Amino acid sequence: MSGTHGTDGSEHENDDVRPVEPDSRGSSAAEADSSSAPTEQFAAFSAPQIPETPREEPADTGTEPQEPATPQSGTPQSGTPQSGTPQSETPKLETARPEAPRPETPRPETPRPETPRPETPRPETPRPETPRPETHPSEATTAVIPVVTQDGRGDASTARIRSSDASAPKPAGSTPLPSSAPDSRNAQPPASPPTPPPGSPPPVAPPPGGNSGSSGDGSGSWWSGVPKRTVALVVGGVVALLAVLYVADLAVSSGKVPRGVTVAGIEIGGESLDEAEAHLRQVLSERLDEPVPVVAGETSGEIVPAQAGIGIDWDATLDRVGSQPLNPFTRLASFFGNEEIGVVSTRDDATLAVAIDEFTAAAAYSPREGNIVFEGGTPVPVTPQPGQQVDVAVASDVFVERWAFGEVSLPVEQVDVTVTREGLDRALADIAVPAVSADLVVRGKDGTTATLARDQIGAVLSFVPDGKGGLTPEYHPEAAVEILAPQLRPTETEPRDARIEIQGGRPAVVPGVKGELVDWTKTLETFPELLAITDDRVVEAVYQPVDPALTTEAAEKLGINEVIGEYTTGGFEYASGVNIRLAAAEINGAVVKPGETFSLNGYTGPRGAAEGYVESGIIEAGRPGKAVGGGISQLATTLYNASYFAGMEDVAHTEHSYYISRYPAAREATVFEGAIDLQFRNPFETGVLIQTITTSSDVTVRFWGTKTVDVQSITGERTNFTTPNTITLPAGPGCIASSGAQGFTVSDTRVVTDARTGAQISNTTRTVRYDPVPIVKCVEPDDKDGADSEGDQGTGGDAPAPASPEPTPASSTPASAPAGEAPAQAPAEGTVSDAAEPIANPEAAPARRQPESVTAPEN
């Protein structure tokens, strides 16, 4: 068979039209099996049964006749052409799909006689055999063949033929059909149009054209019948229209800001560049001068951008606008959204940092660690609270970026705490509460007790974080000793150092006394355990014998038995004498052990009114004045010279800024509490005892020890004289007139030799420059001619002396000067003979040996 099975009007259209020969299974089963084929179905018809010629067929499976399947809409009428056969001549062969089993109603079978018919050999076309699995006859391939009428039109129904032998030989040049189809030579035309069985759906008429809109390729698409030229024209038209719209939109928007562009929320899309710039300048310039709300955590405030050093870089901001996009998709998207480009700001970092720091100072706070404090005798928990901090640099960047948008939220960082609430509660219950449950009692001698009361526990117990969420107790026994020791002091015996006193003109050792004191370290060694006891907190005081700092044996070994240095000065007024005698009594009997350093300020301690010192002469701000404790420099000069001739090592001393005639030039010293001190060191292997002797007019300092050296002082010539300045002040208590004195430079050389051999040990020269004593004039307010009123210069000994030669004071020569000492020189003309101790002036007298930048009164 070479004709097609469609209705295309070919010359072989009716070659294969045959009536359907019922097979042994019945038409219902065939129709049921064919319902699974993906073909367009028509109404079934009943074909007359004719005897079949016996041939080799698969055994009858006995399948019951099935109800005809309802045709599925949209199923193609013709099958897909097989390989090697022209598309117009090959019917579509479909392979039945396995269907899920469904219950079948058994029907009685009517035996039909089988009519044997001769087998007509057909030429077979060799074809490769493909192994196929044996299938049930109900699953065999079904071919759908359209029925063609005598006038060439397709009938409204088709026959379904079950293939019984897929491998049967096919005539050459014909389209292979399923082997179950009856031979065309035995087919009889139907006597009448097929009638659908009762209950089956009505036949479906094919649409005009014969193939239900199919283009002949089996695709079944709705547009498959549209000519390709029409499709191409439509598509081309749409593309052309879009191109026209794109070009028109690009032309209209040329030279304008791209659509949808906003700057800090200001819409400028579609405006010309000039309009956009003018718009932005108007709005953003106003925002620069308006306060911007700023929030950092729970802290809020306002910052004015312009005042914080913020400006606008207009060129960079407008550069961000860009040009019209050429991408059509980008242009299309601009109809449906906005593009925020922001503001490019300028900044003054210093001004901005100040503004941000002022705000963040209020926003930042330190964390509060959990702790326990004591209010009286009650422990109070302190709840932990995290802190907050703001990074000024980061906050500045955020403000610069966001100020133009309105409210700015600055980032904050939380500073965590380490103590948890659980750890706090545990320390409170386990340590703090038991600690205040009772008083702590220390029992001393003779029934004396010392008590640490419950309300004093807070002074000896505190807590610190342990790093693990809890609190660690810290005990302070030293604080407990401060409370308990005074209560037990009457039961203690203080040790008394051995003393060396001058008795009968000779040093004598007064034995020391051992003491007995409470050993608080041992007494409170179980302090934490004591505070954990909730009742009966009583502990016995532990007493220990204590040796004096200087024992009798140590005092006897010091070798203090002869005078090794001595010096005397005098000529001070009454008030200065009071202060000198008080300070001299403080240092009388002082012992300087081998290698120790003695400090005058350190030994006397404060020298104020509370200690009995009175107001006396000093020099302050370059002229004479008065202050409490004045005059001590005379004792300092006397002590320095005694240590000088005793061979002590000079550690620190400072000369007066003005020369005072009662002191040896370049060999004198001044002091001021807390600023200028006199210090020397004992370089010998034996000790030194300091003895002071005072009268109403002079003071003597004597050093006792073991003499090993001789000391000689050589004073140089005075040079580099300087002229004093004149100072005019209003007359009154604040003005002390002075005739002034010249300044000069002088040096002193100390030569130290061995007392036994005479060999020189050291030779040291010290050069001092003295400032001129200013001429002070006290002028009465009504004295128009400038006459000065001189103050009393002779009663107090505080004012500068007249610039005239004076006899050498007897005190300028040591009471017992060591051998080789040069005699004291007579004061030169214009020197101060009896002045108050001047003030150190580092700028006017750079040669002074005193702390830099210190300007203090000199006593």
Side-chain angles (χ1 to χ4, degrees), residues 5 7 14 17-18 20 45 145-149 153-159 190 194:
H5 301 285
T7 57
N14 299 318
V17 177
R18 291 187 295 271
V20 178
F45 66 93
I145 303 175
V147 178
V148 183
T149 59
R153 294 180 177 271
D155 195 1
S157 61
T158 59

Side-chain angles (χ1 to χ4, degrees), residues 392-481:
V392 175
V394 175
S396 299
D397 293 341
V398 172
F399 183 79
V400 170
E401 181 180 355
R402 301 297 303 170
W403 69 268
F405 293 88
E407 182 175 335
V408 178
S409 179
L410 301 182
V412 297
E413 298 177 1
Q414 178 174 298
V415 182
D416 295 329
V417 294
T418 60
V419 178
T420 64
R421 181 67 195 191
E422 294 75 11
L424 176 64
D425 294 340
R426 185 167 54 251
L428 180 67
D430 297 346
I431 301 173
V433 172
V436 297
S437 61
D439 297 339
L440 173 63
V441 178
V442 179
R443 194 155 46 203
K445 291 180 179 180
D446 305 326
T448 305
T449 60
T451 303
L452 179 66
R454 294 175 57 253
D455 57 2
Q456 295 175 312
I457 296 298
V460 300
L461 174 62
S462 62
F463 295 87
V464 294
D466 62 2
K468 301 178 181 179
L471 290 172
T472 296
E474 285 192 343
Y475 300 95
H476 309 284
E478 67 281 0
V481 172

Side-chain angles (χ1 to χ4, degrees), residues 8 16 23 68 131 159 162 166 225 287 319 357 371 376 402 420 445 449 459 490 535 538 548 690 710 750 753 788 809:
D8 56 358
D16 293 328
D23 59 6
R162 175 71 60 184
R287 294 186 186 179
D319 285 345
D357 189 61
N371 202 353
R402 301 297 303 170
T420 64
K445 291 180 179 180
T449 60
D535 56 358
V538 179
I690 299 176
D710 291 327
R750 184 171 85 152
T753 59
D788 60 317

Side-chain angles (χ1 to χ4, degrees), residues 567 664 667 808-809 812-814 821-826:
Y567 202 80
R667 209 178 68 216
T808 303
S812 63
T813 302
E821 179 188 356
Q825 299 180 9

Side-chain angles (χ1 to χ4, degrees), residues 653-707:
H653 89 280
T654 302
E655 293 85 0
H656 289 87
S657 56
Y658 305 131
Y659 174 67
I660 301 174
S661 61
R662 65 177 180 270
Y663 306 144
R667 209 178 68 216
E668 43 88 15
T670 182
V671 291
F672 186 78
E673 183 181 339
I676 305 173
D677 194 12
L678 168 64
Q679 299 178 5
F680 57 84
R681 177 180 173 272
N682 178 8
F684 306 119
E685 296 181 357
T686 56
V688 171
L689 170 67
I690 299 176
Q691 180 188 14
T692 60
I693 303 169
T694 59
T695 68
S696 59
S697 59
D698 59 36
V699 57
T700 299
V701 177
R702 188 175 295 159
F703 276 60
W704 294 78
T706 298
K707 189 174 182 61

Side-chain angles (χ1 to χ4, degrees), residues 825-841:
Q825 299 180 9
E829 182 178 355
T831 59
V832 178
S833 62
D834 193 18
E837 280 65 5
I839 275 200
N841 187 343

Side-chain angles (χ1 to χ4, degrees), residues 57-145:
E57 292 182 352
D60 188 4
T61 60
T63 303
E64 294 295 327
Q66 303 292 328
E67 293 292 331
T70 304
Q72 302 294 326
S73 63
T75 304
Q77 290 181 349
S78 60
T80 302
Q82 293 192 7
S83 175
T85 305
Q87 182 175 354
S88 61
E89 298 179 1
T90 306
K92 182 176 180 181
L93 301 182
E94 298 289 343
T95 303
R97 301 177 184 176
E99 295 183 356
R102 53 185 177 182
E104 299 188 12
T105 304
R107 296 182 180 180
E109 295 186 6
T110 304
R112 292 179 295 179
E114 295 289 338
T115 304
R117 57 182 181 179
E119 233 7 80
T120 303
R122 298 181 180 179
E124 296 184 0
T125 302
R127 54 187 299 184
E129 293 194 13
T130 301
R132 300 183 181 180
E134 295 185 3
T135 58
H136 191 275
S138 63
E139 300 176 353
T141 304
T142 302
V144 179
I145 303 175

